[in-house]
């Protein structure tokens, strides 16, 4: 398993730096950043990272979330408790059985990840917090995730290596397009929810490359395109 | 078990605030601060604590480490790996069997806790970090400790309730004084190490109030004071 941390639209350079520092504390060095609000590079991020500055300096910048996860096999979103119930909630033990490139996604400081973004994630990790003050600082959430990930010992039983998330997205766009043409989304009021449910199903269904190919063929055949 | 977090000579108000925030995230609200470098109260601490500001506002201030732990039954020091080998290294599971007032001590940002301070602690907690960058930010260390503590479910088997650390210190001073008079520390070069070894032994020996009383009596009797 190869772990990438992905920050989606982080606001403060200090937070990016604090995330980088704690990643390096636990031996993780690959950081991806989607559209940091205050631009890039960030002096504040480098200063805050201290001995983890190399993680900031070697971070990859992305313009949007989908590009940042396109080459990954499994994507885990961090959310506050009970945020989103349709995804499997992952335990560190389960995480250890994943193979390929795994992304751990942390959302914006104030608003977290959108439901749209979460619908493209394979699973969520939830850190149980107090009702009095449930909202963790982003670098604290990163600290706890990295700490848990570093405790994991490789598991012998392995889940199948999933298709790249970019390939899955292409398939979902194709499927939605075909369903539009087939007048599947008749009611515009509930169409967004229906689309999200479809995305959620396919995202959690552990599709391999072969499964994806098969599904492309099935959709084409059903639409009389063979 | 009642948990107190104790910061020894913290340097930056921002770090105190970040510790307070993450404490409240996991339902811990009792913070003790020993001689903060930049004075008290601290606007920076309150700002950084966000919704955890009440923990900063209700924090207790102490002039020295010993006063801050005097009314506790068990004191746990956080240290970097392999710092100090003469103390039991505590697992969260063990922690759950403690009763009474438990203090979790975090040292200075740059230098941590002194060996002298650690010698008065009952146990240490070590967070395993990477050799590349072993030094955790103090608020990150607090985050991981609070996260682990919040996972603990009360254990049915309980350790004896230890004597207050302030009473233990009075006994240790009495004992050292009597040993000085008895010319026990003949070699001044190794006297500090001998004293630390004695403190370490009695600190980890799980003395109850009754044990302490007995030991006072024993020392007095041995010195012909009965």
């Amino acid at each position: 398993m190869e772990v990438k941390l992905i920050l989606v639209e982080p606001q403060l350079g200090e937070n990016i730096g604090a995330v980088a520092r704690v990643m390096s504390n636990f031996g993780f060095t690959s950081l991806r950043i989607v559209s940091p609000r205050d631009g890039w590079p960030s002096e504040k991020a480098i200063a805050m990272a201290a001995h983890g500055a190399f993680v900031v300096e070697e971070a990859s910048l992305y313009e949007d979330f989908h590009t940042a996860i396109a080459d990954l096999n499994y994507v885990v979103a961090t959310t506050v408790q009970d945020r989103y119930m349709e995804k499997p909630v992952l335990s560190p033990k389960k995480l250890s059985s994943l193979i390929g490139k795994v992304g751990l996604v942390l959302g914006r400081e104030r608003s977290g990840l959108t439901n749209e973004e979460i619908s493209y994630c394979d699973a969520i990790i939830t850190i149980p917090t107090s009702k009095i003050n449930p909202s963790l600082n982003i670098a604290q959430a990163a600290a706890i995730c990295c700490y848990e990930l570093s405790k994991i010992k490789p598991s012998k039983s392995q889940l199948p290596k999933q298709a790249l998330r970019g390939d899955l997205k292409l398939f979902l766009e194709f499927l939605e397009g075909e369903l539009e043409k087939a007048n599947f989304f008749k009611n515009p009021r509930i169409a967004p929810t229906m689309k999200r449910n479809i995305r959620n199903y396919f995202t959690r269904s552990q599709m391999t490359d072969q499964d994806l190919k098969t599904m492309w063929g099935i959709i084409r055949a059903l639409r009389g395109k063979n």
Side-chain angles (χ1 to χ4, degrees), chain A:
Chain A
M1 185 177 55
E2 185 186 336
V3 177
K4 314 275 178 191
L5 242 84
I6 302 161
L7 298 180
V8 179
E9 297 182 5
Q11 295 165 340
L12 299 172
E14 289 88 338
N15 283 334
I16 301 171
V19 168
R21 174 172 173 178
V22 81
M23 283 174 65
S24 69
N25 285 147
F26 291 105
F28 301 104
T29 56
S30 183
L31 176 62
R32 296 178 171 193
I33 308 173
V34 179
S35 297
R37 186 190 64 183
D38 295 341
W40 200 254
S42 163
E43 287 303 318
K44 285 177 180 166
I46 288 173
M48 195 73 176
H51 291 292
F54 69 99
V55 175
V56 176
E57 285 157 1
E58 291 164 14
S60 311
L61 211 66
Y62 293 83
E63 282 193 11
D64 70 281
F65 172 68
H66 292 294
T67 323
I69 66 165
D71 66 334
L72 304 180
N73 300 103
Y74 202 93
V75 180
V76 185
T78 56
T79 71
V80 298
Q81 219 156 0
D82 302 334
R83 164 75 178 278
Y84 200 87
M85 297 306 292
E86 293 165 49
K87 297 282 172 183
V89 175
L90 219 61
S91 71
K93 206 170 178 178
K94 176 91 183 292
L95 208 56
S96 70
S97 64
L98 300 174
I99 54 171
K101 286 187 181 177
V102 176
L104 183 72
V105 187
L106 292 153
R108 300 151 190 88
E109 282 94 330
R110 289 194 182 276
S111 53
L113 294 166
T114 64
N115 284 345
E116 166 84 10
E117 285 158 354
I118 295 174
S119 76
Y120 283 101
C121 295
D122 295 272
I124 61 171
I125 279 188
T126 295
I127 302 168
T129 51
S130 160
K131 285 200 174 65
I132 297 170
N133 185 13
S135 172
L136 279 166
N137 167 274
I138 187 174
Q140 303 287 42
I144 290 162
C145 291
C146 289
Y147 165 72
E148 281 287 8
L149 280 168
S150 74
K151 287 202 296 191
I152 290 171
K153 290 185 186 69
S155 154
K156 272 171 195 165
S157 69
Q158 293 191 322
L159 295 177
K161 184 167 170 180
Q162 297 196 140
L164 299 184
R165 301 297 88 180
D167 292 342
L168 176 65
K169 184 159 185 279
L170 287 178
F171 165 72
L172 287 169
E173 285 162 358
F174 166 67
L175 174 62
E176 277 186 24
E178 292 302 313
L179 290 173
E180 293 273 9
K181 285 184 239 165
N183 202 24
F184 179 77
F185 303 115
K186 272 175 285 200
N187 184 338
R189 198 173 50 80
I190 61 165
T193 306
M194 292 173 74
K195 286 180 185 173
R196 194 191 302 152
N197 288 344
I198 293 169
R199 279 202 301 270
N200 276 331
Y201 163 67
F202 282 106
T203 305
R204 74 167 175 261
S205 69
Q206 302 186 11
M207 297 177 94
T208 61
D209 282 334
Q210 184 55 55
D211 297 330
L212 259 190
K213 263 185 214 161
T214 306
M215 281 306 302
W216 274 93
I218 287 174
I219 309 301
R220 278 206 187 93
L222 293 172
R223 287 286 290 159
K225 289 192 178 178
N226 266 15

